Amino acid sequence: MLYVIFAEDNADSLEKRTAVRPAHLARLQLLQDEGRLIVAGPMPAVDSNDPGVAGFSGSAIIAEFHSLEQAKAWADADPYIAAGVYREVTVRPFKRVF
């Protein structure tokens, strides 16, 4: 089943986000390589593809997992959580229509 992982950043998290981004992307690449990743990306804090020093307000990931518990466990192990980038992460089942 698909799950959406919606994460909201802490204020002023750009430096922390940048520092652990390679580890974060490596985990996403594994999902991609397994054919389980539908979409993933950050949400710019301003209306621009390159928000510069404004940074990001959070991230969204839609991926396939065997269960909600597995999706939550995967999300909880994200390097952005350990580094203090995310202040809140929500994981919910997602039904793809298109």
Side-chain angles (χ1 to χ4, degrees):
M1 179 163 191
L2 295 178
Y3 296 89
V4 61
I5 300 167
F6 180 78
E8 295 181 66
D9 282 18
N10 282 305
D12 301 316
S13 62
L14 183 59
E15 188 175 315
K16 292 175 184 177
R17 180 183 269 272
T18 302
V20 296
R21 186 171 187 258
H24 172 77
L25 292 179
R27 294 180 78 239
L28 290 169
Q29 186 63 55
L30 288 174
L31 287 179
Q32 177 73 18
D33 293 348
E34 294 170 353
R36 296 170 44 204
L37 183 63
I38 304 303
V39 66
M43 295 175 287
V46 295
D47 190 12
S48 173
N49 281 330
D50 181 6
V53 297
F56 300 92
S57 62
S59 301
I61 299 166
I62 300 176
E64 183 179 350
F65 294 93
H66 292 295
S67 67
L68 179 60
E69 292 76 22
Q70 186 188 47
K72 285 181 178 180
W74 187 90
D76 287 344
D78 195 296
Y80 282 174
I81 290 177
V85 174
Y86 293 154
R87 74 173 176 82
E88 185 174 356
V89 177
T90 304
V91 182
R92 299 272 167 86
F94 180 82
K95 181 180 175 184
R96 184 178 188 169
V97 175
F98 292 101

